[in-house]
Amino acid sequence: MMDKCICRDAAISGLRSNRKSLGKKMNALLQRLEAMFPLRYSVMVLCGFGVLLALFSLVAFRVGWLALLVCAALLAVGVHDLRQTRHAVLRNYPVIGHLRFLLEFIRPELRQYFIESDSEATPFSRAQRLLVYQRAEGEASNRPFGTQLDVGRQGHEWVNHSMAPTRLPTHDFRLWIGGTPGQPSASVQPCSRPYHASVFNISALSFGALSANAIMALNKGARLGGFAHDTGEGSISEHHRLHGGDLIWEIGSGYFGCRHDDGTFSERRFVANACDPQVKMIEIKLSQGAGPGHGGVLPAPKVTAEIAAARGVPLGQDCISPSSHSAFSTPLELMQFVARLRRLSGGKPTGFKLCIGHPWEWFALVKAMLETGITPDFIVVDGAEGGTGAAPLEFSDHVGAPLQEGLLLVHNTLIGVNLRSRISIGAAGKVVSAFDIVRLLALGADWCNAGRGFMMALGCIQSQTCHTGRCPTGVTTQDPMRQRGLVVPDKAERVRNFHRSTLHALKELVQAAGLHHPGELNAHHIVRRLTDTDVRLLSNLVLQVAPGALLGSLSSQHKVFRSYWPLASAHSFQIGAGEVKTA
């Protein structure tokens, strides 16, 4: 028995040895073949054999035209790959190397539909997008079986509810901007035509960045829902006017719609647009969250007749948005420009939008308000997390203050100089849910704007091809054929539904907190988890300034005020133009 076992073990050992030897020989053979003719060319060679076989089939049997065309085309691609010098992958892997580019091209879609979880995608997760889609389509957005969020993770936030919830008659929450009909603002040259705005409106989205059909659907939805539509700096196009929805006219550094031929501000053209009854407010754009401090150029081929007419620029020439304004160069001049536009518009609410950068520049604006007595009717704070059609990566990722920090600084500075009651504050930056609105109102905003949320209500699928002209849903393209996919009446209803459903959810949150209006929300109502065992009210974590505190000693104030408030001057945006720095 033992001899049999020994013989069997020897046989197995011999087989293993022979197998290893055979494997080494095969590897050596493959290496020699690879040296003589690289196997990575095998697909192209097979295409060549395919051509020969197809030719033989045609001669012998008179069939094979399709095979010949396919194989010949692939062979031609392979020859081109070997001759081109741009892509090393294609030179080394003719024909088959194109699979790499194909897979790379469809990678976002593969991730979006098959790989990513509901909560991991950016800038908006699948769960966030689904919420918008459901509300836009009028479907219930209720969730069964509990939250999918990790309520124990650091940074999780919630609203404290009341044991005595309220019952509100409507979700149509509104606020007056520019004073009230019976009590104008205390500003010099005050607003005489205040606007009764919704607490949730469409953020700045320019025609040109968005398609004509998208603009028409947004504006019709705004009219149906009774909320405002910000034009973006691309000015007011015929598509904004078609359905008569309320407009906030944004005026950027290019003064589109109100410019002379040399690009400077034109009073005459401004009055022609600003006095239109459809225009409810005037917004001066100082900067935007996605690309603050960066100008832009719309290339000549993209300046169509419609865009040229809306912006007041020459057809077929580069359309330039400078990085700064030419109508003013100091904080005092900006305040005077605000008063000028308010007067020229017939007393409509006039303000500005900015993403906070250098704190002393913002402080300089506030000091200019104090010195002149001119206050804007509103300020829109744009967060660095905001979106745009296209911006340099470094600007999108690393320039500008996030919305929370910018909003807190603006809100508290105005409180600190006793101007908060005269100026309404809007907030924009990744707002898609009622909780997003609640949180921003609790931090100091009076209303919120959303851009990408309403784009998703139109059908945007976050393909992130806005800058290519190949938007798959027709939202951000000027291609007439692609735009046809966006049917205005249907999408306008979706826009209205999204707004209405979001405000209905806001109403339920306000009721649960025991309040009567979103304007009663403050940082005491929001709780944030810091660690596994530590949670705090936002009011104990965020910046808070007492009324009038910046008009006296700064010794007990936050370091940002102690360091930069004395260095700010109403006469210049430059640091150090104010008083001597205090400790």
Side-chain angles (χ1 to χ4, degrees):
M1 178 69 69
M2 186 176 295
D3 291 341
K4 290 182 179 180
C5 291
I6 292 173
C7 291
R8 185 182 61 188
D9 291 344
I12 293 173
S13 177
L15 287 173
R16 288 176 177 171
S17 177
N18 291 337
R19 190 161 47 192
K20 288 181 180 179
S21 176
L22 181 61
K24 290 180 180 179
K25 291 178 181 179
M26 289 295 296
N27 286 335
L29 178 61
L30 289 174
Q31 289 175 3
R32 286 196 294 270
L33 287 173
E34 176 72 17
M36 291 185 292
F37 183 82
L39 295 179
R40 61 182 181 271
Y41 295 152
S42 58
V43 173
M44 189 178 73
V45 172
L46 289 175
C47 292
F49 279 127
V51 170
L52 295 176
L53 288 174
L55 287 172
F56 174 78
S57 178
L58 281 172
V59 172
F61 308 107
R62 296 184 180 181
V63 294
W65 278 108
L66 180 60
L68 177 62
L69 290 174
V70 171
C71 291
L74 291 175
L75 181 61
V77 168
V79 173
H80 174 268
D81 291 343
L82 289 173
R83 293 174 59 85
Q84 60 85 35
T85 59
R86 184 177 180 184
H87 298 292
V89 169
L90 296 182
R91 283 175 66 85
N92 285 329
Y93 297 88
V95 183
I96 197 173
H98 287 277
L99 286 176
R100 182 257 184 192
F101 296 98
L102 173 62
L103 293 173
E104 185 180 62
F105 181 74
I106 63 174
R107 178 179 179 272
E109 287 77 12
L110 290 175
R111 281 189 57 82
Q112 182 178 114
Y113 294 114
F114 302 111
I115 299 173
E116 71 185 23
S117 73
D118 285 346
S119 60
E120 71 176 355
T122 56
F124 292 93
S125 69
R126 175 66 185 173
Q128 289 174 307
R129 300 196 303 273
L130 182 61
L131 175 69
V132 176
Y133 300 150
Q134 288 174 329
R135 288 181 171 169
E137 292 169 4
E139 298 178 358
S141 57
N142 299 335
R143 174 171 294 165
F145 223 64
T147 181
Q148 295 180 9
L149 300 179
D150 179 3
V151 298
R153 69 169 178 82
Q154 180 181 355
H156 178 70
E157 293 179 339
W158 64 91
V159 180
N160 271 343
H161 66 280
S162 170
M163 294 182 67
T166 55
R167 291 183 63 85
L168 305 181
T170 179
H171 61 262
D172 187 22
F173 300 118
R174 295 188 171 271
L175 73 151
W176 285 102
I177 301 176
T180 63
Q183 186 175 358
S185 166
S187 173
V188 172
Q189 297 179 333
C191 168
S192 59
R193 300 169 66 181
Y195 178 54
H196 206 210
S198 170
V199 297
F200 188 39
N201 301 289
I202 301 173
S203 196
L205 298 167
S206 298
F207 170 57
L210 265 61
S211 68
N213 284 17
I215 293 294
M216 287 189 285
L218 287 172
N219 193 256
K220 184 175 182 180
R223 181 180 64 79
L224 293 173
F227 54 100
H229 177 196
D230 194 314
T231 66
E233 67 175 312
S235 192
I236 308 169
S237 69
E238 60 183 4
H239 311 298
H240 288 93
R241 301 183 191 277
L242 183 62
H243 297 290
D246 290 354
L247 294 177
I248 300 171
W249 182 18
E250 182 178 272
I251 299 172
S253 56
Y255 304 112
F256 301 129
C258 56
R259 59 186 267 141
H260 294 296
D261 291 341
D262 62 358
T264 57
F265 177 73
S266 166
E267 278 196 3
R268 178 181 60 82
R269 292 176 179 172
F270 172 80
V271 170
N273 275 324
C275 291
D276 186 328
Q278 192 179 348
V279 175
K280 303 301 182 182
M281 301 202 301
I282 309 298
E283 177 182 282
I284 303 166
K285 174 190 166 184
L286 303 181
S287 59
Q288 68 180 39
H294 188 276
V297 177
L298 187 65
K302 293 186 177 182
V303 182
T304 64
E306 289 179 313
I307 292 174
R311 300 193 179 197
V313 298
L315 176 65
Q317 295 184 23
D318 288 346
C319 180
I320 299 173
S321 297
S323 57
S324 61
H325 281 259
S326 60
F328 55 87
S329 58
T330 68
L332 289 176
E333 290 177 356
L334 171 56
M335 294 306 123
Q336 292 160 0
F337 191 57
V338 168
R340 180 184 176 191
L341 297 191
R342 190 156 50 204
R343 173 178 55 82
L344 292 172
S345 67
K348 294 181 179 180
T350 303
F352 54 81
K353 178 178 82 173
L354 81 167
C355 176
I356 292 295
H358 295 311
W360 61 83
E361 294 182 349
W362 158 242
F363 294 158
L365 294 181
V366 177
K367 287 190 172 183
M369 298 176 201
L370 294 172
E371 184 167 326
T372 61
I374 301 169
T375 50
D377 297 300
F378 64 91
I379 297 171
V380 175
V381 183
D382 213 15
E385 61 269 46
T388 184
L393 178 66
E394 293 81 1
F395 278 78
S396 291
D397 289 349
H398 302 293
V399 179
L403 180 53
Q404 173 174 296
E405 285 66 33
L407 175 58
L408 285 169
L409 186 64
V410 170
H411 172 63
N412 281 285
T413 306
L414 294 178
I415 289 175
V417 296
N418 293 327
L419 291 178
R420 182 64 180 86
S421 62
R422 289 164 55 172
I423 302 171
S424 299
I425 298 178
K430 294 192 73 173
V431 178
V432 295
S433 74
F435 180 76
D436 296 333
I437 298 175
V438 164
R439 190 179 187 282
L440 292 176
L441 298 189
L443 290 176
D446 294 301
W447 86 89
C448 294
N449 293 336
R452 289 167 291 178
F454 280 102
M455 287 171 62
M456 287 186 279
L458 289 174
C460 168
I461 60 172
Q462 194 172 275
S463 67
Q464 300 186 59
T465 56
C466 309
H467 59 299
T468 67
R470 297 192 298 271
C471 172
T473 57
V475 176
T476 61
T477 179
Q478 299 305 309
D479 183 336
M481 294 303 295
R482 288 180 179 268
Q483 288 189 51
R484 290 182 68 254
L486 198 159
V487 180
V488 173
D490 174 68
K491 303 307 181 186
E493 284 293 334
R494 289 172 57 97
V495 168
R496 175 170 68 168
N497 288 342
F498 171 58
H499 178 268
R500 179 177 55 200
S501 298
T502 302
L503 286 192
H504 180 75
L506 176 62
K507 170 190 168 183
E508 294 185 322
L509 288 177
V510 172
Q511 290 178 154
L515 306 176
H516 296 86
H517 190 277
E520 299 174 23
L521 287 161
N522 58 53
H524 294 289
H525 293 103
I526 309 295
V527 189
R528 177 185 293 177
R529 178 176 295 283
L530 301 183
T531 67
D532 289 345
T533 58
D534 188 13
V535 300
R536 302 282 181 87
L537 296 177
L538 276 189
S539 56
N540 295 323
L541 297 173
V542 300
L543 175 67
Q544 294 193 77
V545 173
L550 300 183
L551 300 177
S553 172
L554 302 176
S555 58
S556 62
Q557 300 306 314
H558 189 280
K559 187 176 180 180
V560 69
F561 296 111
R562 298 199 312 271
S563 298
Y564 298 121
W565 180 264
L567 300 179
S569 169
H571 299 269
S572 174
F573 286 110
Q574 298 300 313
I575 189 170
E579 305 169 12
V580 178
K581 182 178 179 179
T582 60

